[in-house]
Amino acid sequence: MRKENSTNAINEQFLFQVCELNSAIAMISGRWKSQIVYSISQGNNRFHLLKKELPNISEQVLGRQLKELETHAVIVKKEIPETVPVGVQYVLTNKGRDLIPILESLCDWGKTYAEGKEISVCPLS
């Protein structure tokens, strides 16, 4: 954990104040977070289902990414009643649900250029 008065922390705080985009990107940054959110939206809402859907993620990383998404209120962890041991599922908040179309648009944008769309310089306005 870094110090609150470190240069990195000060720079991050400045960028968050300049534009909320920086804050939003920080919430979903990380190799797996966007895929985790999307997988939860598709019904893979338990730890073992997410692990099955994302076989290359380690359990430690999955746990840490889920915790960070909880911290940013993108998901909440809910106990499943009447299960022994107590079962847990992850549920998107409205903040997480609102993120799904954005992730889908980013995915489409990435596919477009991955498939070789020509890149050109846009004229100045």
Side-chain angles (χ1 to χ4, degrees):
M1 183 151 184
R2 68 176 174 214
K3 296 178 185 174
E4 287 184 32
N5 60 353
S6 71
T7 302
N8 282 340
I10 292 167
N11 288 341
E12 184 177 82
Q13 186 176 22
F14 170 77
L15 288 172
F16 290 177
Q17 291 171 349
V18 170
C19 179
E20 289 77 12
L21 173 65
N22 297 308
S23 177
I25 289 184
M27 278 185 235
I28 61 167
S29 68
R31 183 174 293 170
W32 297 100
K33 283 185 193 169
S34 59
Q35 194 59 51
I36 291 168
V37 170
Y38 188 76
S39 291
I40 290 171
S41 78
Q42 298 301 301
N44 299 308
N45 59 356
R46 312 257 328 252
F47 191 93
H48 75 279
L49 294 173
L50 289 164
K51 183 70 178 109
K52 185 177 177 183
E53 180 75 13
L54 308 168
N56 295 334
I57 191 171
S58 72
E59 290 187 6
Q60 181 181 11
V61 170
L62 177 56
R64 185 171 51 238
Q65 300 279 278
L66 287 165
K67 188 68 176 164
E68 289 175 18
L69 288 166
E70 275 185 271
T71 300
H72 291 295
V74 174
I75 63 172
V76 292
K77 183 168 46 172
K78 289 190 163 190
E79 289 186 4
I80 301 170
E82 301 176 23
T83 56
V84 178
V86 175
V88 172
Q89 64 181 347
Y90 297 94
V91 180
L92 294 176
T93 62
N94 62 320
K95 186 177 184 179
R97 259 192 335 272
D98 291 347
L99 185 56
I100 299 304
I102 296 165
L103 294 176
E104 289 171 340
S105 292
L106 278 171
C107 184
D108 292 343
W109 177 78
K111 282 180 191 174
T112 297
Y113 288 96
E115 292 170 354
K117 180 177 179 178
E118 184 178 332
I119 299 172
S120 59
V121 176
C122 297
L124 296 174
S125 305

